[in-house]
């Protein structure tokens, strides 16, 4: 029977999507194996170790710990401060989101980078910056005798500082794509400015606002470094309490119960977050993506711009400036010079060695995160992916919400036997850091990969290209910029990872965040000055990476991280 060339082409075109689906499922093997071995296994191991003694399960211990007044107090404070931080962040940052979305003014690109710097800074550096501003001997203490350290206000302000960019990027990115003509049409029909905003703009922004709020709540719910440095012994989140029970009291059963509580809470948060993200992606397809920014007009708009600039200056720039000033307090760059000496006895090597260690670890972690995250994002490319892939997409976010302390300690007790005896291997630190970097790689690359016209892939497949060649010839040229941006963010967050690294970094190979925390934990002006100097160096490295990202982004506004 004769078969026409057209029928052959149609059969090949029909087979291409099926082959692509099989390939995408195959691509999940590496990410699934990575998360199973280096996330699920260590977390499960430490929980089982805590709840199982002499071969018997201690389920009653779970109820004893969970029902304790101390745990209820910690859980209440963790939830309360996260909700308060989220509300305060939205209140302060939403005007900034509007300004960055709708106004055009000189230095906007540089200011956008400045606004984003706090988000990629390690929480230890954020805590150090606010300690230099509101702590004993800080700027406010010197000028007016005001101290906010060991108060909840210092924690809340530091969380706003850290998460300001989340709202500006997420909400502002969508706001810039909304057609202002719709709101103007409502006003022409007689609606007031507020009524037009409430009935037209706010419903369109609601998914992005909800997504930003959930992200901020997630980050503050699992806060560790900020609370540990600024809260003192008075305040403790679940993450801080897990660290205390694990490293100070050696009560693994209590730590295991707290981990399960945090895991349940974060799972619920991520379920809501996943639904919000899907709604947001659907909304973006309906809006006009043309540029809508213009110069401010009228006294009200100029006042709004001035207010946002003042807020950025006081809330974001001032703590960083004070951090730099404190690092220069010793004449002749004394604090920086002291970094080359190990006379203080805090480490087995001079503190300056932490710079090289951090860069090496972060580079290795970035390579791992880009490989694993890139494969995962490619597998999740189709919007109509099945329930299994959608579940996998949500699970990829878990490392951002599950206790990094649990992961770090789990590495030590789980990866201690062949064939995974890695306790003495340097790769432990990059592996833990990569767990945090992978979700950022996926979230940055996935929208770009989904924007690639599927017909281009199908045409290449019909012409005989292998899946690898389709990726290299079609996808890679289109997503190269997103890949570089993802690598930059993975590098920045890996550089600042602290919760797991504090367990894994050896005294002869400290990272910058671990070195800063150890120096802050020891008395003496010399140790404090070195902590400020290392924090400044880490801040400058993160800022440089972020400026490179802004240049890679060019003029393309996006709300994705």
């Amino acid at each position: 029977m004769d078969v026409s060339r057209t029928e052959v082409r149609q059969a090949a075109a029909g087979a291409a999507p099926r082959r692509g689906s099989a390939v995408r499922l195959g691509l999940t093997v590496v990410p699934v194996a990575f998360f199973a071995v280096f996330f699920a296994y260590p977390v499960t191991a430490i929980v089982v170790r805590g709840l199982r003694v002499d071969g018997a399960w201690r389920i009653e211990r779970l109820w004893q710990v969970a029902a304790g007044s101390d745990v209820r107090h910690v859980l209440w404070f963790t939830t309360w401060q996260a909700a308060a931080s989220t509300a305060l962040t939205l209140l302060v940052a939403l005007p900034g989101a509007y300004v960055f979305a709708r106004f055009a003014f000189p230095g906007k690109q540089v200011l956008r980078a400045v606004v984003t710097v706090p988000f990629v800074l390690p929480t230890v550096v954020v805590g150090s910056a606010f300690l230099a501003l509101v702590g004993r001997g800080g700027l406010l203490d010197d000028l007016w005798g005001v101290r906010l350290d060991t108060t909840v206000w210092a924690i809340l302000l530091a969380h706003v500082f850290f998460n300001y960019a989340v709202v500006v990027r997420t909400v502002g990115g969508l706001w810039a794509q909304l057609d202002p003509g719709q709101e103007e049409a409502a006003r022409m029909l007689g609606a007031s400015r507020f009524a037009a905003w409430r009935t037209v703009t706010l419903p369109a922004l609601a998914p992005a606002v909800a997504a930003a709020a959930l992200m901020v709540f997630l980050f503050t719910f699992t806060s560790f470094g900020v609370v540990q440095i600024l809260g003192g012994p008075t305040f403790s989140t679940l993450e801080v309490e897990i660290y205390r029970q694990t490293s100070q009291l050696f009560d693994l059963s209590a730590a295991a119960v707290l981990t399960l509580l945090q895991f349940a809470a974060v799972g619920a948060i991520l379920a809501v977050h996943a639904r919000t993200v899907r709604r947001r992606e659907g909304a973006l397809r309906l809006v006009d993506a043309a540029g809508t920014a213009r110069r401010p007009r009228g006294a009200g708009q100029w006042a709004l711009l001035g207010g946002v600039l003042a807020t950025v200056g006081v809330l974001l720039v001032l703590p960083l400036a004070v951090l730099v000033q404190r690092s220069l307090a010793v004449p002749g760059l004394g604090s920086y010079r002291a970094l080359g000496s190990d006379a203080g006895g805090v480490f087995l090597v001079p503190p300056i060695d932490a710079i090289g260690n951090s860069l090496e670890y972060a580079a290795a972690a970035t390579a791992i995160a880009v490989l694993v995250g890139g494969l995962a994002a490619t597998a999740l490319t189709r919007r109509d992916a099945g329930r299994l892939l959608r579940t996998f997409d949500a699970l990829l976010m878990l490392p951002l919400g599950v206790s990094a302390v649990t992961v770090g300690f789990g590495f030590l007790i789980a990866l201690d036997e062949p064939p995974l005896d890695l306790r003495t291997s340097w790769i432990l630190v990059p592996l833990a850091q990569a767990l945090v970097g992978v979700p950022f790689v996926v979230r940055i690359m996935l929208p770009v990969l989904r924007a690639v016209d599927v017909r281009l892939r199908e045409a290449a497949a019909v012409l005989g290209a292998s899946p690898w060649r389709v990726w290299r010839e079609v996808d890679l040229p289109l997503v190269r910029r997103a890949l570089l941006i993802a690598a930059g963010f993975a590098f920045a967050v890996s550089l600042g990872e602290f919760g797991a690294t504090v367990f894994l970094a050896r005294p002869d190979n400290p990272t910058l965040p671990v070195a800063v925390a150890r120096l802050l934990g020891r008395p003496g002006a010399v140790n404090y000055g070195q902590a400020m100097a290392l924090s400044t160096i880490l801040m400058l490295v993160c800022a440089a990476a972020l400026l490179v990202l802004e240049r890679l982004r060019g003029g393309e506004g996006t709300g994705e991280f």
Side-chain angles (χ1 to χ4, degrees):
M1 181 175 62
D2 295 334
V3 180
S4 69
R5 184 176 300 178
T6 301
E7 292 173 332
V8 171
R9 186 181 295 113
Q10 290 175 345
R18 292 193 296 271
R19 183 175 62 176
S21 299
V23 170
R24 275 189 290 274
L25 284 174
L27 291 175
T28 62
V29 172
V30 172
V32 167
F34 177 79
F35 276 87
V37 174
F38 298 113
F39 178 70
Y41 175 50
V43 171
T44 303
I46 193 171
V47 171
V48 170
R49 180 75 63 92
L51 297 179
R52 189 177 176 88
V53 178
D54 296 330
W57 289 98
R58 298 181 60 190
I59 303 300
E60 75 282 358
R61 179 59 173 161
L62 190 152
W63 300 113
Q64 290 173 0
V65 174
S69 59
D70 291 342
V71 171
R72 291 201 304 269
H73 175 74
V74 170
L75 182 59
W76 164 248
F77 175 75
T78 301
T79 306
W80 176 87
Q81 64 83 26
S85 297
T86 302
L88 191 59
T89 302
L90 289 174
L91 180 66
V92 173
L94 281 176
Y98 175 79
V99 165
F100 278 98
R102 295 302 198 197
F103 292 171
F105 53 90
K108 180 178 177 179
Q109 185 173 347
V110 174
L111 189 63
R112 185 185 287 115
V114 170
V115 165
T116 314
V117 164
F119 180 75
V120 298
L121 283 180
T123 55
V124 173
V125 175
V126 174
S128 303
F130 272 82
L131 197 64
L133 179 64
V134 303
R136 174 178 296 180
L139 181 63
L140 296 185
D141 191 16
D142 290 343
L143 293 178
W144 300 295
V146 176
R147 287 184 55 192
L148 296 179
D149 59 321
T150 69
T151 71
V152 72
W153 284 108
I155 296 173
L156 296 181
L157 289 174
H159 284 161
V160 175
F161 170 90
F162 187 75
N163 292 292
Y164 186 92
V166 174
V167 178
V168 169
R169 291 280 191 175
T170 305
V171 180
L174 177 59
W175 213 333
Q177 295 176 303
L178 295 181
D179 184 3
Q182 297 179 6
E183 187 173 327
E184 294 171 0
R187 294 197 63 195
M188 291 180 63
L189 294 175
S192 65
R193 182 183 296 273
F194 176 75
W197 180 82
R198 179 176 56 84
T199 58
V200 177
T201 304
L202 184 59
L205 287 177
V209 173
L214 283 166
M215 290 175 68
V216 174
F217 188 90
L218 177 65
F219 291 143
T220 53
F221 188 85
T222 57
S223 183
F224 176 50
V226 166
V227 178
Q228 186 184 39
I229 292 175
L230 295 176
T234 307
F235 301 104
S236 179
T237 58
L238 281 173
E239 186 83 355
V240 174
E241 190 63 20
I242 291 171
Y243 175 77
R244 190 174 74 89
Q245 295 290 343
T246 302
S247 64
Q248 297 177 11
L249 303 180
F250 304 105
D251 189 347
L252 289 185
S253 61
V257 174
L258 293 173
T259 298
L260 291 176
L261 288 175
Q262 188 183 51
F263 187 83
V266 168
I269 296 169
L270 289 178
V272 178
H273 174 72
R275 290 189 60 187
T276 305
V277 168
R278 285 197 296 271
R279 287 171 57 197
R280 179 186 168 201
E281 288 179 348
L284 285 175
R285 294 194 299 267
L286 303 176
V287 300
D288 182 5
T292 57
R294 51 179 169 74
R295 287 179 59 83
R297 294 181 297 189
Q301 292 189 355
W302 280 107
L304 177 60
L305 176 59
V308 169
L309 294 178
T311 300
V312 171
V314 173
L315 184 63
L316 305 186
V317 177
L318 182 59
L320 301 179
V322 173
L323 182 68
V324 176
Q325 184 271 331
R326 296 295 177 184
S327 74
L328 299 173
V330 180
L333 300 177
S335 296
Y336 290 90
R337 290 183 179 181
L339 295 178
S341 172
D342 59 352
V346 181
F347 307 104
L348 301 178
V349 295
I352 198 171
D353 287 5
I355 301 173
N357 295 335
S358 288
L359 294 176
E360 291 175 1
Y361 287 145
T366 300
I368 297 171
V370 169
L371 174 62
V372 175
L375 289 174
T378 303
L380 296 168
T381 298
R382 290 186 60 178
R383 290 183 178 274
D384 57 345
R387 179 175 298 178
L388 185 62
L389 284 180
R390 289 199 301 269
T391 302
F392 176 59
D393 187 13
L395 292 177
L396 289 173
M397 292 286 288
L398 277 179
L400 294 181
V402 173
S403 171
V405 172
T406 300
V407 173
F409 197 66
F411 269 38
L412 293 181
I413 68 171
L415 305 180
D416 62 343
E417 296 180 357
L420 287 175
D421 187 2
L422 303 176
R423 285 177 301 173
T424 60
S425 174
W426 67 274
I427 197 65
L428 269 185
V429 174
L431 286 172
Q433 293 174 344
L435 283 172
V436 182
V438 168
F440 286 93
V441 174
V442 174
R443 295 272 72 82
I444 290 170
M445 292 190 62
L446 187 55
V448 181
L449 283 170
R450 283 178 172 171
V452 177
D453 191 342
V454 68
R455 291 173 297 183
L456 296 175
R457 299 190 184 103
E458 293 174 354
V462 168
L463 294 174
S466 64
W468 162 246
R469 188 172 181 182
V470 171
W471 160 256
R472 187 185 57 180
E473 301 291 343
V474 177
D475 291 79
L476 184 58
L478 296 174
V479 303
R480 183 180 289 111
R481 176 178 290 183
L483 182 63
L484 293 174
I485 293 172
F489 263 106
F491 181 82
V493 298
S494 299
L495 196 66
E497 205 286 324
F498 174 66
T501 307
V502 71
F503 283 95
L504 303 176
R506 299 195 302 268
D508 58 339
N509 285 290
T511 64
L512 278 169
V514 172
V516 170
R518 298 271 170 82
L519 289 167
L520 285 174
R522 293 176 65 92
V526 174
N527 290 324
Y528 179 80
Q530 290 182 84
M532 296 297 105
L534 281 179
S535 297
T536 301
I537 292 172
L538 188 50
M539 177 191 70
L540 293 176
V541 173
C542 291
L546 202 56
L547 286 173
V548 172
L549 293 184
E550 286 299 323
R551 292 185 64 87
L552 288 174
R553 287 179 186 272
E556 298 178 5
T558 177
E560 297 293 340
F561 272 94

